[in-house]
Amino acid sequence: LKKDYFRRKRYAVLTFDDGYKSLNEVLPWLEEQQLPATLFINGKYLDGKSYRETAKEQYLTHDELFSLTSPLLEIGHHGWEHKSVKEITEEELIDSLQKNIEVLSAHPRYIPFWAYTYGIHNQRSDVTLSNNGMTLVLIDGGKNYKLKGSITRELFY
């Protein structure tokens, strides 16, 4: 969405991070209501397991994700693993992106968008991902600078 585009009505953009299996419960309702959404996926967990040792949540499997082909859905990146860019080197970030691209780009609803894990980013990661073809989706709250070509997810509480 362009920020300079005048809108007559309020709007919302629905995004879901990680790819939890519980999406199977809400996606039929979104489809029924004709509400578009973007799923930001961690490719490593498409085996259905969790990245947290004690977590109860499960993730969509590869087959479950690839069965979601509604034109109302888009599939983007949330990193290979659920790690902050503060925890990884630039080489690991590029590796994470390449692994995710290898898996997700085959999805018919794939888009080259990247939503940062925990909303944490820095200039190094922004430049690296932008130079590798990603549109960055940032969360707001005063901590994000305005990066040309990025999209801001605003959080309202």
Side-chain angles (χ1 to χ4, degrees), residues 5-62:
Y5 181 76
F6 177 76
R7 290 174 187 79
R8 295 181 191 271
K9 298 179 180 180
R10 291 181 176 221
Y11 68 93
V13 178
L14 298 176
T15 64
F16 299 88
D17 293 351
D18 304 336
Y20 293 118
K21 191 177 285 284
S22 59
L23 283 168
N24 285 326
E25 298 170 26
V26 71
L27 292 176
W29 181 83
L30 292 175
E31 179 82 25
E32 181 182 303
Q33 301 300 315
Q34 292 291 289
L35 295 172
T38 303
L39 311 181
F40 290 107
I41 302 296
N42 300 110
K44 181 176 181 176
Y45 311 118
L46 291 175
D47 59 2
K49 297 177 184 166
S50 176
Y51 65 94
R52 296 182 182 128
E53 290 179 24
T54 60
K56 295 178 184 176
E57 74 269 350
Q58 293 181 314
Y59 288 81
L60 295 169
T61 64
H62 182 276

Side-chain angles (χ1 to χ4, degrees), residues 61-99:
T61 64
H62 182 276
D63 290 345
E64 288 171 325
L65 179 66
F66 277 73
S67 73
L68 302 174
T69 58
S70 168
L72 294 171
L73 289 179
E74 295 176 322
I75 308 298
H77 299 274
H78 198 49
W80 179 247
E81 296 179 77
H82 201 273
K83 290 186 176 180
S84 162
V85 295
K86 287 184 174 182
E87 300 175 59
I88 59 177
T89 66
E90 184 174 5
E91 292 76 25
E92 290 170 321
L93 178 60
I94 292 169
D95 184 57
S96 171
L97 174 61
Q98 290 172 342
K99 286 177 180 176

